[in-house]
Amino acid sequence: MLLTDGGEPLSAAAPAVRWTVEQVLALAPDDASRKAGNRLGSAGPWSDTGWDGPGAVWGLCRGSGSKPYRTVIDTTGPAYKCSCPSRKFPCKHALGLLLLRASAEEALPAADPPDWAGEWLEGRRRRTESAEAGERPEGAEGAAAGPADPAAARRRAERRAGRISGGVRELERRLTDLVRGGLAAAEQSGYGLWEETAARMVDAQAPGLAGRVRELGAIPASGPGWPVRLLEECALLHLLDTGWLGIDRLPPPLAATVRTRVGLPAGADGPPVRDRWLVLAQYDTPEGKIVARRIWLYGRESGRTALLLSFGAAGRSPGQALPVGVTLDAELMPYRGSGQLRAEPGPQFGTPVPAGPPPPGVTVTGAIAAYGRALGDDPWLESWPVTLRDVIPVPSQDGWQLADAEGDSALPVAPAALSRPALWKLVALSGGGPLTVFGECGHRGFDPLAAWAPAVREDGGETAADDPHTLPANAETVPLI
C-alpha cells in the first residue's frame, strides 16, 4: 500500500475518486499545514495544473523564489512529490493543490501529465509492475533470510530480558515505597523522582515501562482527584510488573500482550487479511519527541477493525496518510498480543472508491460491554474502537454526552474531545436527531472521531444511519478530529 513518497505504488484499475475538502484536510500533518494549505487552495498561485483518470494531479505553485514549486500527487496511494524544501507529508503545496481539485470538477483540466510529473509517475508504475511480478530489490533475499546467527540473537534477547527484569524489580521497590509513605509524598517529591525512575527503565531497555512511569509523574499536577488516579495507575503498573516477572506462566496471547506493553517489539506476523477497508479516522498525537499517527480502518467483509500506526521524528510528520471516508481493497498484516488491532499495510488492489455506509453500530450498553471484554484480554487498554448507532449529542452537567435515542443510557464525551471545534460539528450534524458515530470508548468516556448523518428517504423522512439497506451508496464520512 502506498502511503508516502517512496513507498510501493498502485496501478489504477478505474478512474480515481475526486476527494472532498474534508478528506483533504484530514490528511494535513498539523494545524499549521492545514491553514497554509487552505491559503493555497485557490487558482491564484497555480499554473500548468491538470489531472488524469488514473488519479494523478499536478501543478506549478508560485512561491517566494524565482522558480515555481513543482507538485505532483498520486491519489491512489496517496503519494506526494514536491520540489519545496518542506519535510512534511503532504506539504502545504500538495494540500493546496488537492483543495483546488476538490473545490470543483472544472477547477483543474483533464490532460496528460508534463514530463517532470510523468517521470515520477512512470517510476511508480515500474515499481508497481515489479511488485506484481514478485520481484525483489537487490539484497532483499539476504534481508528476508533472518538473523545470520540465531544463537547470538537468542543470547541478546536473554540479556535484554535480564535487564528488563532488573528494572522491573527496582520499579516495584519504588512503588512499594510510595504506597508505604503515602500518596501525598508524590506531590511533594515532584516530577524529578519519576523522571529518574523512567530513565532507569530506559537503561533497562523497557521503553513501555518508562512511558507509564512518566505518566505517573504528571498525575499529581492533573487537578482534583489526582490521588485516586495515581493509585489506579500504580496498580496497573504493579500488575504489569507482576505479569513480566511471571511471564513464563501466562497464556501465550497474554504473554505477548505483556511483552508489548513492557516495550519489546512485536512483528506483524499474523495471516494477511484482504478486505475492502473503510478509512474511518486519522489523527496525530505527540509522544515525547515524536508524533504518532493513528489511522482506523473497518473491513467490510471481515467486520474487523484495524489500526495503522506510524511515527514521525525530528520535525517530520509520520509517513502514512489516507483520506478519511474512502474504501480500499487491500491486505493488512496484523500484530500479536495487545497489538491485535494494529496491522501493517500490505498490497493494495485497484483504486480507492467512495465509502458507502458506515460500520454496523452498537448501543451505548454494547459499547461499554465491548470495552469490558477487551480489558479482559489487555488490562492496560486505554480505549476500544466502537461505532455507536442512533445516539444524540446532548449537554450534561460536566460537558456533553452521547445518549441512546431509544433508551436511558449515555456515554460522556471524553475530556480531550470537549475542547475540539469538531464537537460542534457533531452537534450541528445531529440537529437534535440520532446519528451514527465512530470513536474510542474508554474509562475517560467516548472520544468521537467520525460521524454519519441520518439518510434521507425519498419521502423526505429519515432512516437509521446504521442501516446499510437504507443509507445511500456514497454515505459521507464526516471527520471529527
Side-chain angles (χ1 to χ4, degrees):
M1 181 184 293
L2 196 300
L3 297 173
T4 63
D5 180 24
E8 286 299 322
L10 287 173
S11 57
V17 177
R18 182 166 64 92
W19 298 345
T20 66
V21 170
E22 286 189 324
Q23 288 173 336
V24 174
L25 293 177
L27 293 173
D30 50 41
D31 287 336
S33 297
R34 190 175 293 112
K35 293 176 181 177
N38 264 319
R39 290 193 292 268
L40 296 175
S42 60
W46 293 97
S47 62
D48 296 332
T49 57
W51 66 277
D52 66 7
V57 184
W58 61 86
L60 302 178
C61 186
R62 184 176 65 253
S64 57
S66 58
K67 295 183 179 180
Y69 295 119
R70 294 177 170 181
T71 306
V72 57
I73 305 158
D74 183 355
T75 61
T76 61
Y80 320 90
K81 181 70 173 179
C82 186
S83 60
C84 75
S86 175
R87 301 174 69 187
K88 297 179 180 180
F89 291 100
C91 67
K92 63 181 181 181
H93 304 101
L95 289 171
L97 184 58
L98 287 172
L99 288 171
L100 179 61
R101 166 76 173 136
S103 62
E105 185 73 37
E106 65 277 6
L108 272 66
D112 293 327
D115 291 342
W116 57 268
E119 291 175 1
W120 180 72
L121 294 167
E122 181 60 29
R124 289 170 47 75
R125 294 191 188 100
R126 287 197 300 268
R127 291 195 295 273
T128 298
E129 293 170 356
S130 297
E132 290 175 349
E135 298 176 6
R136 291 184 179 181
E138 293 182 6
E141 290 81 0
D149 188 350
R154 184 173 60 254
R155 289 193 295 270
R156 287 194 296 271
E158 291 172 350
R159 286 195 295 270
R160 180 173 184 179
R163 285 191 288 269
I164 293 175
S165 295
V168 164
R169 294 187 181 94
E170 180 176 341
L171 178 57
E172 281 295 286
R173 289 193 292 271
R174 297 283 178 96
L175 293 176
T176 300
D177 292 343
L178 173 65
V179 174
R180 286 177 176 172
L183 295 181
E187 190 175 29
Q188 300 171 359
S189 61
Y191 191 77
L193 175 64
W194 296 110
E195 184 59 36
E196 176 189 345
T197 306
R200 176 67 186 92
M201 297 303 103
V202 172
D203 294 340
Q205 295 185 288
L209 290 177
R212 299 189 76 92
V213 167
R214 289 192 180 96
E215 292 177 2
L216 289 182
I219 291 177
S222 62
W226 69 263
V228 175
R229 294 191 292 273
L230 180 60
L231 185 60
E232 290 173 347
E233 292 302 321
C234 286
L236 287 172
L237 197 50
H238 170 67
L239 181 64
L240 184 55
D241 291 344
T242 304
W244 172 263
L245 295 175
I247 198 167
D248 293 338
R249 300 188 298 273
L250 297 179
L254 184 56
T257 297
V258 170
R259 292 189 184 96
T260 303
R261 291 297 182 184
V262 165
L264 290 176
D269 54 3
V273 180
R274 180 175 177 178
D275 207 333
R276 295 184 300 115
W277 299 97
L278 168 62
V279 183
L280 295 169
Q282 173 181 295
Y283 66 95
D284 296 345
T285 53
E287 296 185 3
K289 296 181 179 180
I290 65 175
V291 175
R293 173 167 294 169
R294 290 170 171 81
I295 303 176
W296 286 109
L297 307 174
Y298 171 75
R300 293 289 189 194
E301 279 77 30
S302 64
R304 182 171 188 157
T305 303
L307 172 66
L308 302 184
L309 185 62
S310 60
F311 300 92
R316 301 199 63 169
S317 59
Q320 297 181 355
L322 289 173
V324 174
V326 301
T327 299
L328 312 168
D329 182 2
E331 280 186 356
L332 300 182
M333 278 70 71
Y335 280 72
R336 293 170 292 172
S338 63
Q340 57 185 309
L341 288 175
R342 186 183 173 188
E344 284 295 318
Q348 184 175 325
F349 310 95
T351 58
V353 298
V362 298
T363 62
V364 167
T365 302
I368 296 173
Y371 177 51
R373 289 191 296 269
L375 283 175
D377 297 327
D378 182 359
W380 306 277
L381 194 66
E382 289 288 328
S383 59
W384 187 255
V386 294
T387 301
L388 295 175
R389 69 167 184 246
D390 292 340
V391 291
I392 303 173
V394 296
S396 64
Q397 183 177 0
D398 300 320
W400 285 84
Q401 59 186 1
L402 296 176
D404 271 333
E406 299 181 359
D408 56 0
S409 301
L411 270 174
V413 174
L418 294 176
S419 59
R420 293 201 299 261
L423 176 62
W424 295 106
K425 184 191 298 185
L426 177 66
V427 175
L429 186 67
S430 166
L435 72 171
T436 297
V437 184
F438 168 78
E440 298 173 1
C441 179
H443 62 278
R444 294 183 177 89
F446 186 85
D447 191 352
L449 303 177
W452 296 263
V456 178
R457 299 196 306 258
E458 293 182 359
D459 60 4
E462 292 183 347
T463 62
D466 64 293
D467 186 349
H469 300 290
T470 56
L471 274 176
N474 60 344
E476 181 180 358
T477 304
V478 180
L480 298 175
I481 190 168

